[in-house]
């Protein structure tokens, strides 16, 4: 029996028994406790908790679920998946144990046609009621096993609704078993397949652990579609059912050599299916939350691909295969498939670059450790691999583990936490989104754009051309109303964040559309990327565009920046040349001074600094900019504060004879424009 047919029969079986069919809810539900829908009952939680009125007292669904808590195991066994479909029937204060068991039996034996004598049952040790029901149905006592709380008692939390459950097992036969004496349903050998779990929500547990009966009792059941299909199709491995077969066949055609085991091919099939659904639902790779899960799954699949000799991006080619296989049950996949493939490809390209660089370094570390007969990679090395080279922690652990080498996760994570705290302090507005975008777009962007010219010192507007458009991190042809994206221009007046000065904001428009510029970053030598939100119309790649910097804001920033230079000079004059600015951030509404000596200034020193500063402003000194080599600038006494790469010529900004600094930022033309501080 095909997977599709099992799904259809399940729904219609319960529909005939007055259940209302519910479509599969999204994988990402608005549930603060869960990143993903992990079971069929999750979308119905508000009904079970009495927070919402259900559309009917009897519901049935085939729900897509995603679990990643044991991602490492996916591929190692025939039955582990990230994404799977769960068939379930639900009673909300309506029928209870008797009907649930009776219908379970009927469906398994009559609809699916499984032999009754192959069915085994487990129940909770104290649940005599359910024992009696199964015996009345005709199951011999010898095939009803009583188990403890760990196996057959369900609860979602310490406190709240809970209850016993009962499981329906299928016996493949002794030949599939481990032949151990204690081999019985629940043994992890291939003999026993847990088909269906029926949960009886009949109690509520209070803080002291005491159970009381719920006024209205509920039923929640879950049957894994993939493993049920494996039983009905007479295969031991879910990945050999028709639910996976076309994906596996597609993959085997790509691989030239026969793989040693099924680990990699199973994992790739599973992950590709999960990715197609996740991205198809609009959950894209990123470094946080759900997006990070997507990224992890994709990277794991990529890595198995490499092991199978697939050195180039390949996953994206499988998206149409998955779509074709699943689209008549999940029609939304068809609409999304091109975007999904495009994003997967960009992410693969990016990861392969990261991977090959990180692998070389890690292999070097492992080689050295082995030579020294050591077994632990120093946490600082693991951290560096992650932080500097973007090499995933779990990958380091996995690869090192294969060589018998450990990492110290706790110590490494401490380093990571510290790093994140630093990062939070540096966080500014849209910047995080920008960083994520960069990593996804690098390779393809570099091919398209050699460099973009910054003309913002001379002018606040520029007539230019739209060289590239990025949408969710990948190249796109256009941006339309309300969309967010990023633009690269042939030349731009927008100052990209750097040298302690924030980015400009403003607008980029064409004859047909207008976008608001939120942030500007220099992502690669010479490439300036504008993060934008569409205000109206449409922008297309290749069009003539007008770039306009918000003048008022730029001017406020310039006031702050020129003032910072004056302050720096004043501090040096009063406190001596050892003053070093440890970082200042210039933005439009404040000057944030962060001088190494600043906190130790006495009141009298502070007032001397302030009056010197005001004197220089009152004198209305001219601000002049000259370009020269860095060595020459230093020789003339210019201060170079930011330890950034200064290549070729640098800009030296002079305010009268009072201040001289190497600086790429934007300034006023006279000190008097600052206004008194
Ligand atoms: Zn066994
Ligand atoms: Zn400066």
């Amino acid at each position: 029996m095909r997977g599709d047919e099992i799904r259809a029969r399940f729904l219609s079986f319960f529909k005939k028994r007055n259940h209302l069919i519910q479509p599969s809810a999204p994988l990402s539900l608005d549930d603060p406790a869960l990143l993903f829908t992990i079971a069929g009952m999750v979308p119905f939680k508000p009904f079970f908790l009495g927070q919402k009125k259900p559309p009917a007292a009897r519901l049935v669904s085939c729900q897509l679920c995603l679990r990643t808590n044991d991602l490492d195991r996916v591929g190692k066994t025939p039955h582990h998946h990230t994404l799977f479909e769960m068939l379930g029937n639900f009673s909300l204060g309506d029928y209870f144990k008797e009907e649930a068991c009776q219908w379970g039996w009927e469906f398994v034996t009559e609809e699916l046609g499984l032999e009754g004598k192959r069915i085994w049952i487990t129940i909770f040790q104290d649940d005599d009621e359910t024992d009696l029901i199964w015996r009345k149905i005709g199951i011999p006592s010898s095939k009803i096993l009583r188990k403890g709380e760990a196996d057959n008692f369900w609860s979602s939390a310490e406190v709240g609704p809970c209850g016993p459950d009962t499981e329906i097992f299928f016996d493949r036969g002794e030949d599939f078993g481990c032949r151990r004496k204690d081999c019985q349903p629940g043994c992890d050998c291939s003999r026993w397949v847990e088909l269906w779990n029926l949960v009886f929500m009949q109690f509520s547990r209070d803080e002291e652990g005491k159970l009381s009966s719920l006024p209205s009792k509920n039923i929640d059941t879950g049957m894994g579609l993939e493993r049920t299909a494996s039983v009905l199709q007479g295969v031991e491995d879910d990945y050999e059912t028709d639910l996976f077969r076309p994906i596996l066949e597609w993959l085997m055609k790509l691989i030239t050599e026969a793989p040693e085991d099924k680990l990699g091919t199973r994992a790739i099939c599973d992950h590709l299916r999960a990715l197609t659904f996740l991205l198809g639902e609009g959950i894209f790779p990123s470094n946080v939350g759900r997006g990070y899960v997507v990224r992890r799954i994709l990277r794991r699949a990529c890595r198995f691909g490499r092991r199978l000799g697939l050195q180039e991006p390949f996953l994206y080619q499988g998206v149409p295969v998955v779509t074709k296989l699943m689209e008549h049950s999940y029609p939304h996949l068809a609409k999304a498939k091109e975007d999904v493939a495009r994003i997967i490809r960009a992410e693969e390209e990016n990861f392969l670059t990261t991977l090959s660089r990180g692998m070389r370094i890690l292999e070097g570390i492992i080689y050295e450790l082995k030579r020294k007969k050591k077994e632990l990679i120093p946490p600082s090395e693991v951290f560096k691999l992650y932080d500097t080279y973007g090499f995933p922690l779990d990958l380091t652990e996995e690869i090192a583990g294969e060589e018998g080498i450990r990492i110290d996760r706790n110590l490494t994570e401490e380093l990571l936490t510290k790093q994140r705290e630093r990062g939070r302090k540096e966080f500014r507005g849209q910047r995080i989104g920008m960083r994520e975008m960069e990593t996804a777009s690098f390779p393809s962007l570099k091919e398209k754009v050699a460099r973009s010219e910054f003309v913002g010192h001379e002018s606040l507007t520029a007539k230019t051309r739209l060289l590239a458009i990025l949408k969710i991190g990948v190249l796109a042809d256009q941006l339309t109303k309300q969309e967010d994206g990023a633009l690269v221009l042939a030349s731009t007046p927008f100052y990209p964040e750097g040298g302690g000065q924030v980015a400009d904001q403003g607008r980029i428009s064409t004859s047909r559309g207008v976008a608001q510029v939120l942030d500007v970053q220099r992502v690669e030598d010479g490439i300036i990327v504008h993060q934008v939100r569409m205000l109206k119309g449409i922008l297309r790649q290749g069009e003539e565009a007008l770039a306009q910097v918000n003048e008022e804001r730029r001017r406020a920033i310039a006031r702050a920046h020129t003032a910072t230079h004056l302050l720096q000079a004043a501090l040096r004059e009063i406190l001596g040349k050892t003053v070093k600015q440890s970082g200042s951030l210039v933005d439009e509404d404040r000057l944030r001074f962060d001088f190494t000596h600043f906190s130790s200034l006495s009141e009298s020193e502070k007032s001397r600094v302030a009056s010197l500063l005001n004197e220089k402003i009152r004198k209305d000194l001219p601000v002049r900019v000259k370009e020269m080599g860095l060595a020459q600038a230093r020789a003339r006494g210019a201060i170079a504060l930011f330890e950034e790469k200064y290549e070729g010529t640098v800009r030296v900004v002079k305010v009268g004879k009072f201040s001289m600094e190497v600086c790429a930022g934007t300034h006023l033309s006279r000190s008097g424009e600052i206004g008194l501080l």
Side-chain angles (χ1 to χ4, degrees):
M1 193 182 292
R2 290 178 49 86
D4 282 345
E5 199 181 335
I6 301 170
R7 200 191 284 123
R9 282 193 184 215
F10 187 87
L11 296 175
S12 82
F13 177 89
F14 283 99
K15 192 182 169 193
K16 273 184 223 143
R17 285 152 186 84
N18 293 320
H19 288 64
L20 184 66
I21 298 178
Q22 297 291 290
S24 182
L27 289 168
S28 58
L29 283 177
D30 196 14
D31 183 333
L34 293 169
L35 271 185
F36 296 104
T37 302
I38 54 165
M41 70 85 74
V42 171
F44 307 139
K45 246 167 82 178
F47 306 148
F48 283 115
L49 296 172
Q51 295 160 344
K52 256 193 193 167
K53 199 175 149 5
R58 298 179 179 190
L59 302 174
V60 61
S61 69
C62 175
Q63 175 65 46
L64 281 166
C65 302
L66 190 91
R67 292 185 189 174
T68 55
N69 50 339
D70 47 6
L71 186 59
D72 295 352
R73 295 203 64 196
V74 176
K76 287 182 182 153
T77 75
H79 298 306
H80 267 88
H81 307 288
T82 53
L83 183 96
F84 59 95
E85 290 174 85
M86 194 184 265
L87 303 162
N89 56 298
F90 306 88
S91 159
L92 294 137
D94 193 63
Y95 63 85
F96 203 49
K97 292 182 182 179
E98 198 148 348
E99 293 89 334
C101 294
Q102 179 63 39
W103 290 336
W105 174 256
E106 274 174 38
F107 183 75
V108 166
T109 55
E110 290 167 24
E111 283 291 317
L112 300 183
L114 295 176
E115 266 182 282
K117 64 175 206 277
R118 301 259 207 143
I119 301 296
W120 288 61
I121 300 292
T122 63
I123 60 171
F124 179 57
Q125 56 202 14
D126 303 335
D127 192 359
D128 296 333
E129 198 184 350
T130 305
D131 183 38
L132 191 66
I133 293 169
W134 284 122
R135 280 191 285 131
K136 261 169 55 189
I137 287 171
I139 314 264
S141 298
S142 60
K143 288 186 174 171
I144 301 171
L145 309 177
R146 288 179 183 244
K147 299 212 170 189
E149 209 161 307
D151 290 307
N152 286 76
F153 197 89
W154 177 90
S155 59
S156 70
E158 301 273 294
V159 177
C162 57
D165 61 49
T166 181
E167 292 165 310
I168 302 178
F169 279 87
F170 178 78
D171 180 5
R172 285 186 198 268
E174 249 173 67
D175 291 348
F176 293 85
C178 59
R179 296 183 185 277
R180 280 193 301 245
K181 262 219 170 97
D182 57 352
C183 183
Q184 53 159 277
C187 178
D188 57 12
C189 65
S190 308
R191 177 170 176 183
W192 308 101
V193 184
E194 184 202 324
L195 286 179
W196 206 342
N197 187 10
L198 317 178
V199 177
F200 310 127
M201 270 184 238
Q202 65 183 112
F203 300 117
S204 179
R205 189 168 6 216
D206 67 15
E207 254 111 58
E208 278 131 46
K210 254 180 59 192
L211 298 178
S212 55
S213 268
L214 281 173
S216 94
K217 298 178 172 59
N218 302 316
I219 295 284
D220 156 27
T221 83
M223 178 185 222
L225 177 65
E226 292 79 4
R227 65 177 59 185
T228 305
S230 79
V231 167
L232 290 169
Q233 294 170 22
V235 291
E236 258 184 272
D237 189 332
D238 291 359
Y239 295 92
E240 274 159 32
T241 65
D242 70 321
L243 293 165
F244 283 98
R245 195 79 227 173
I247 312 175
L248 190 64
E249 278 163 9
W250 159 79
L251 180 63
M252 296 313 274
K253 265 186 246 157
L254 288 185
I255 304 168
T256 43
E257 279 169 54
E260 277 171 34
D261 55 34
K262 293 179 176 173
L263 170 61
T265 50
R266 279 181 187 148
I268 291 169
C269 290
D270 172 275
H271 294 0
L272 177 59
R273 213 170 71 129
L275 290 167
T276 305
F277 276 96
L278 284 163
L279 277 88
E281 201 179 300
I283 308 168
F284 300 121
S286 80
N287 285 331
V288 289
R290 297 187 178 107
Y292 182 62
V293 175
V294 174
R295 181 160 278 170
R296 272 184 69 198
I297 293 175
L298 187 140
R299 292 180 162 194
R300 190 165 184 263
C302 274
R303 204 182 141 233
F304 281 120
R306 259 173 68 105
R307 280 201 199 161
L308 294 169
L310 301 170
Q311 302 291 338
E312 299 291 320
F314 69 98
L315 278 173
Y316 74 97
Q317 296 169 14
V319 172
V321 181
V322 177
T323 305
K324 191 166 167 240
L325 186 61
M326 306 294 280
E327 69 186 342
H328 70 270
S329 298
Y330 303 97
H332 68 283
L333 292 181
K335 263 191 293 176
K337 73 177 174 194
E338 270 142 42
D339 281 343
V340 170
R342 207 156 42 89
I343 295 164
I344 289 182
R345 182 180 189 165
E347 182 78 7
E348 281 186 277
E349 281 171 355
N350 184 244
F351 182 57
L352 288 173
T353 312
T354 304
L355 202 60
S356 57
R357 192 177 48 186
M359 283 290 265
R360 276 199 305 277
I361 297 165
L362 182 57
E363 276 160 11
I365 295 172
I366 292 173
Y367 175 82
E368 271 302 300
L369 287 173
K370 281 185 153 177
R371 206 173 56 83
K372 292 179 186 156
K373 301 219 173 357
K374 286 185 180 164
E375 285 174 356
L376 181 77
I377 306 182
S380 59
E381 296 276 350
V382 180
F383 174 74
K384 198 168 142 197
L385 265 170
Y386 174 81
D387 189 55
T388 312
Y389 301 102
F391 201 70
L393 208 60
D394 34 338
L395 218 55
T396 304
E397 190 168 32
E398 211 174 315
I399 295 168
E402 284 160 9
E403 302 282 339
I405 292 198
R406 290 178 301 118
I407 70 169
D408 187 328
R409 239 184 197 274
N410 291 340
L411 277 178
T412 309
E413 264 160 23
E414 254 174 53
L415 292 174
L416 284 173
T417 309
K418 277 187 202 148
Q419 165 73 2
R420 259 179 230 126
E421 275 160 15
R422 275 200 299 276
R424 210 166 291 133
K425 282 184 197 145
E426 284 161 16
F427 173 81
R428 299 195 47 76
Q430 300 288 330
R431 183 143 166 210
I432 292 292
M434 196 73 168
R435 289 270 174 263
E436 277 172 22
M437 191 206 63
E438 282 166 40
T439 57
S441 59
F442 258 1
S444 40
L445 188 58
K446 266 166 69 187
E447 274 170 33
K448 195 136 193 162
V449 185
R451 64 188 296 271
S452 39
E453 195 189 353
F454 176 65
V455 296
H457 285 307
E458 298 85 39
S459 170
L460 293 183
T461 59
K463 276 204 176 120
T464 178
R465 188 174 290 278
L466 261 175
L467 291 186
I469 297 177
L470 294 156
K471 201 155 77 180
I472 326 159
V474 290
L475 288 171
D477 299 327
Q478 61 183 49
L479 275 186
T480 55
K481 203 159 182 281
Q482 314 258 293
E483 282 185 317
D484 285 355
L487 307 175
V488 181
L489 305 174
S491 63
T492 180
F494 285 90
Y495 181 82
E497 180 176 343
Q501 182 180 324
V502 294
D504 279 332
Q505 294 177 355
R507 289 174 164 219
I508 294 172
S509 54
T510 66
S511 57
R512 283 186 292 180
V514 183
Q516 182 188 4
V517 176
L518 304 169
D519 189 20
V520 187
Q521 297 281 333
R522 193 183 290 273
V523 294
E524 182 84 326
D525 292 327
I527 301 182
I528 295 168
V529 177
H530 309 74
Q531 194 181 24
V532 299
R533 172 160 300 159
M534 287 299 292
L535 294 178
K536 61 181 173 201
I538 181 170
L539 294 185
R540 284 187 211 273
Q541 193 249 320
E543 283 178 331
E544 297 279 341
L546 182 67
Q548 295 167 286
V549 172
N550 176 332
E551 226 178 297
E552 208 176 307
R553 187 169 174 279
R554 163 72 84 86
R555 196 167 170 76
I557 295 167
R559 286 179 62 224
H561 200 154
T562 304
T564 310
H565 282 210
L566 287 181
L567 177 64
Q568 171 73 13
L571 284 166
R572 283 165 68 97
E573 191 158 314
I574 286 163
L575 300 174
K577 301 270 190 258
T578 56
V579 169
K580 195 167 183 290
Q581 188 183 26
S582 61
S584 78
L585 224 130
V586 179
D587 69 21
E588 75 275 24
D589 47 28
R590 74 206 146 101
L591 279 167
R592 199 191 68 188
F593 301 115
D594 187 13
F595 291 84
T596 43
H597 279 73
F598 205 60
S599 58
S600 59
L601 282 190
S602 68
E603 282 308 310
S604 87
E605 282 168 332
K606 277 183 196 165
S607 78
R608 277 163 66 207
V609 169
S611 68
L612 180 57
L613 207 55
N614 281 326
E615 181 203 319
K616 298 300 174 190
I617 293 168
R618 224 177 284 120
K619 276 191 177 163
D620 200 20
L621 303 167
V623 178
R624 296 218 165 85
V625 180
K626 260 193 182 161
E627 297 203 344
M628 60 184 82
L630 182 60
Q632 194 189 357
R634 283 233 170 88
R636 292 194 180 184
I639 319 164
L641 287 172
F642 283 88
E643 284 150 18
E644 292 183 349
K645 270 182 286 167
Y646 292 109
E647 277 166 13
T649 59
V650 295
R651 289 168 56 87
V652 175
V653 178
K654 282 177 74 177
V655 187
K657 285 185 176 139
F658 182 59
S659 151
M660 177 156 60
E661 269 190 46
V662 174
C663 175
T666 58
H667 287 271
L668 301 170
S669 49
R670 305 194 70 89
S671 67
E673 293 164 26
I674 296 171
L676 293 189
L677 291 173

